[in-house]
Amino acid sequence: MELIKIDYLQIGVAASKLLTVSNLSINSGQKIGLIGNNGAGKTTLMRILAQEKLTDSFTVKGRVSSNCNFAYVSQLLDAGDKSGGQREKLALNKAVTQLKNMPNGLLLLDEPTSNLDITQQQWLIKLINKSKIACLIISHDQNFLNKVCDSIWYIQNKEVHNFSGTYEEFRSFNEDQRKRAETTYEQKKKHLEQLKRSYNLHFNKARTFSHNKKGLSSSDWRSKSMGKQKTANNVIRASKNLASRINKEKAEIKKPQMHHAITLKNGNNAITDLSISPKSKALRLEKQQVNAYGQELFSITQEANLTYSSKVVLTGQNGVGKTVFLKKIKNRQLTGFYNSKLKIGYFNQNIVTSQTDKTLLDSLFATSIFDDSSTMQVLGDLHLRQYGRHKISDLSGGQLVCFNLAKILTGQYNLLLLDEPTNFLDIASVNALAEFVTAYPFAMILVSHDQAFIKQLEAVKWQIKDRCLITSASQKKRSRKSNDNELELLKFKLDQLMLDSQTSISEIKRVKKQIQNLQ
């Protein structure tokens, strides 16, 4: 059954076009993911479908037919005494319960995973997949989209398009389109070069007909050339036609957008000055308890080491102390060794940049360790390039968050602490950030629940679990301790078997082999 039908919807903001939806519908049981860059109009479209009133700066033309009972969970939930993840989970539970006994249910969700940890995300995936309620979901979480959606609405060139299939299938389709566009561009470029060579040949040949031959008077030359005039006219005409084709194809050829990984400028003094010897540790944390708000959050049970170029992803459920851990490292409040050359940059979405009349570009270039082109690419990846000449004091809240991230990423630091850097980023920016993290020359600890993002990183995994910080070293120690215990038990078992006259030779051999494998 058709729950929502959109007939040529046109959305404008501040007298300019924001979004066009030609002809789309949502049917019973469908699970649709709505994706697009930040600012493309996703939330505005969802608010229209949720029948919310927009401000006077928006204009809406077209028709939306609705035949459903819907529940809308917006991205910005009211603050309270609960954490973001708890508030999100309560709102989602309430929306599903509200629609459970209603016919033609439709769930409208705007970034439902942004405050959820990995366990809560798994809960939501299971909830949506078990439910028969139709869903339209705005999300930048690629793992989540792939596990719950059977269709994708994607915004491209200010239009909403439909793709029938999973998010992974959409990615493959998108990648194929990108490769085709690049191949077509290269073919057109090659053809254009051939046309230019042909034009030059014709042009030079045409010039020979217009020049007087050496040693001949003009009248003699004209009389001798009468028979060739027709050929000359054909060459000149062909030359003009080629020029016209070249101009036409030049106007039509369009280079597809290509993304290149951030490259570091050779010999950049800022980078050299921040380098730490590969033989030195950037940070070494001793065994200790991590406390906050008058209570113990977790323990560091094994010395935690960070080399000068380590990339670490820190995971754990909401509330276990990940943000506290980063803040204590930033303020050097944990007992341990901090390299004398260590300069720490800390990104937290709640940090507000001081209001200043400096432009975004002036502020970034003043502190960036990268060359100008790399710094500009970071801006482009975070969709800030067009605001480069804007004053920082004029940036919106979302833009300010992205500016803070750009400022930290490019700043003069050699240890970055990033707390949920992907929360306000769209899919293209998340993928670009993954590339940046991989190529970054110094140490980094980042907190993230975005599993697709984590999967892209070549990073060591740390986890806060069961009130302990589990690093790769502590994990190995736990594994060794477990192996030692098992080995002792098997040796004891072998002794018992050897004393028992009823034991078969094959049983003794089996236990001996287990002991050898563990040793």
Side-chain angles (χ1 to χ4, degrees), residues 318-356:
N318 286 337
V320 295
K322 301 184 298 296
T323 296
V324 169
F325 181 60
L326 293 190
K327 284 181 178 177
K328 284 186 177 288
I329 292 176
K330 171 193 170 251
N331 296 323
R332 304 179 189 234
Q333 293 172 337
L334 296 176
T335 308
F337 164 77
Y338 296 81
N339 194 291
S340 59
K341 292 187 72 175
L342 202 61
K343 293 187 178 179
I344 302 174
Y346 174 64
F347 170 76
N348 181 322
Q349 290 161 17
N350 297 323
I351 291 175
V352 177
T353 302
S354 58
Q355 299 301 296
T356 171

Side-chain angles (χ1 to χ4, degrees), residues 437-450:
V437 170
T438 303
Y440 188 70
F442 303 126
M444 186 182 295
I445 303 175
L446 60 90
V447 170
S448 181
H449 297 306
D450 189 325

